[in-house]
Amino acid sequence: MALGKTTDQTRIHPVKVSAPTKEQAGWRKTMQTIVVLFKLRIVFLLLMAATGGAFLAAGGWPGFAALGLVWGFGGMAAAGASALNQYWERNTDGDMGRTEKRPLVTGEIEDPRWVPVVASLLIIVPVIITFTFNHPLSFFLALGAFIYVCIYTIWLKPRTLLNIVIGGAAGSAAVLTGSAAVGNWSDPGALILSLILFLWTPFHFWSLALLYRDDYAKSDVPMLPVHTTPQQAAWWVMSHTLPTAVFGVMMTFLPTLGIVYLIPVAIVSADLFWKNVKLIQDPSPKHAKAVFMASNIYLLVLLLAICIGTVTHAWFA
């Protein structure tokens, strides 16, 4: 057989990849719509914050029952509030490239009248059920939804540059749902973590607003980075980044945390601070995106370190 030739037995045939069926494509589209409408990515971060509050209040493993309350009822309430937020802003989201593809904007949801009904039930049902056996948990579930929908979305967001400062209290309420689920909502560690969430939220969203500054300028939302210079906005970001990092590191001195917590939190705190310094030096979209991404990493590492640190301390105590 001559070199460079192939026989029928050795000829390689391309592998045919079948296209997804209409049913598969429809299912994927439905799931994508649910993820966007109920902001499940943000809900996940809120539930992680609540989980951190539960671990702190329990001084270790809070138990499956408490975590079930947090992830089940907390997830329902957070998803419901997120959907109400999108329903309220459905007529203005089309002004921004970041939100113009939301299902209530594109018409993907042809009849949106069911959205506020389902969203309200997602909030009301867990609040009523938990009220029968855990009043603090019920209160913080309701408080978080009320702050996000009524205080932030309806009242503050269209009226003031500092809208997200008060809106950050919704994340604080999420932390306290976790500590309430284990029967110790006023635990000092949980209260400090709720303060961290309150400080973290503004610089997280301000760095995003710097990234999408032109989009926000075209909308009627008075976000602070649009009404200041980019460098002034970068300093506003730092005014919340620095105390967030400081309080995060100081949590090491809680009796339920230690070196296992400190090492990863110190690393991500230093990284977040340095990226904010570079944003001040050059308040460009590139550095705004870097701070935004670092803020997500910071929060996730902080909450995981809390969970691991409290459990590790409980094992060796």
Side-chain angles (χ1 to χ4, degrees):
M1 181 177 69
L3 294 175
K5 295 183 179 181
T6 58
T7 64
D8 290 341
Q9 289 79 11
T10 61
R11 187 176 293 114
I12 299 174
H13 298 279
V15 177
K16 293 183 178 180
V17 179
S18 59
T21 65
K22 289 184 178 180
E23 291 78 8
Q24 290 173 327
W27 175 250
R28 291 175 185 173
K29 189 65 175 176
T30 299
M31 290 303 299
Q32 182 181 4
T33 299
I34 291 172
V35 169
V36 175
L37 176 62
F38 295 101
K39 296 186 180 180
L40 295 189
R41 293 183 179 90
I42 294 177
V43 170
F44 172 76
L45 283 177
L46 289 172
L47 292 178
M48 283 298 298
T51 301
F55 273 78
L56 284 169
W61 174 248
F64 287 111
L67 291 180
L69 289 174
V70 167
W71 284 78
F73 291 140
M76 290 172 63
S82 298
L84 286 176
N85 166 269
Q86 285 199 41
Y87 182 79
W88 184 265
E89 297 179 344
R90 68 193 185 282
N91 295 322
T92 57
D93 276 346
D95 297 335
M96 297 179 58
R98 187 176 67 87
T99 55
E100 65 182 1
K101 294 184 180 180
R102 287 177 171 176
L104 289 173
V105 178
T106 62
E108 182 182 331
I109 298 176
E110 297 179 1
D111 184 2
R113 290 176 296 180
W114 64 267
V115 174
V117 176
V118 172
S120 298
L121 287 174
L122 285 172
I123 298 170
I124 294 170
V125 169
V127 168
I128 291 176
I129 291 176
T130 54
F131 186 78
T132 62
F133 63 89
N134 190 326
H135 290 178
L137 175 57
S138 176
F139 172 76
F140 288 118
L141 287 174
L143 181 64
F146 178 77
I147 292 173
Y148 186 63
V149 176
C150 299
I151 302 297
Y152 170 66
T153 301
I154 298 175
W155 181 30
L156 295 177
K157 190 172 182 180
R159 290 178 174 84
T160 172
L161 298 180
L162 300 177
N163 45 38
I164 197 62
V165 174
I166 306 301
S172 302
V175 173
L176 298 179
T177 61
S179 56
V182 300
N184 187 18
W185 74 266
S186 59
D187 172 77
L191 293 176
I192 295 173
L193 180 58
S194 68
L195 175 61
I196 290 174
L197 262 291
F198 183 76
L199 294 168
W200 174 88
T201 304
F203 81 77
H204 171 73
F205 280 98
W206 284 337
S207 59
L208 181 67
L210 264 173
L211 179 60
Y212 290 98
R213 195 167 184 266
D214 293 339
D215 262 6
Y216 277 104
K218 292 185 295 183
S219 74
D220 293 328
V221 179
M223 286 298 274
L224 183 143
V226 177
H227 297 271
T228 63
T229 66
Q231 190 163 53
Q232 287 174 332
W235 277 107
W236 274 96
V237 171
M238 178 62 88
S239 72
H240 283 68
T241 295
L242 184 58
T244 298
V246 169
F247 278 112
V249 172
M250 285 178 62
M251 285 185 70
T252 306
F253 298 104
L254 290 171
T256 53
L257 295 172
I259 192 68
V260 173
Y261 165 85
L262 174 62
I263 292 174
V265 170
I267 292 172
V268 292
S269 297
D271 177 68
L272 179 62
F273 177 79
W274 177 240
K275 283 182 169 60
N276 203 152
V277 169
K278 291 197 291 185
L279 178 65
I280 292 172
Q281 294 172 341
D282 176 21
S284 63
K286 173 186 174 182
H287 290 131
K289 183 177 181 180
V291 173
F292 175 74
M293 298 301 294
S295 70
N296 284 321
I297 295 171
Y298 170 85
L299 184 61
L300 190 58
V301 170
L302 175 83
L303 296 172
L304 287 174
I306 286 172
C307 297
I308 296 172
T310 53
V311 169
T312 304
H313 182 272
W315 281 347
F316 293 102

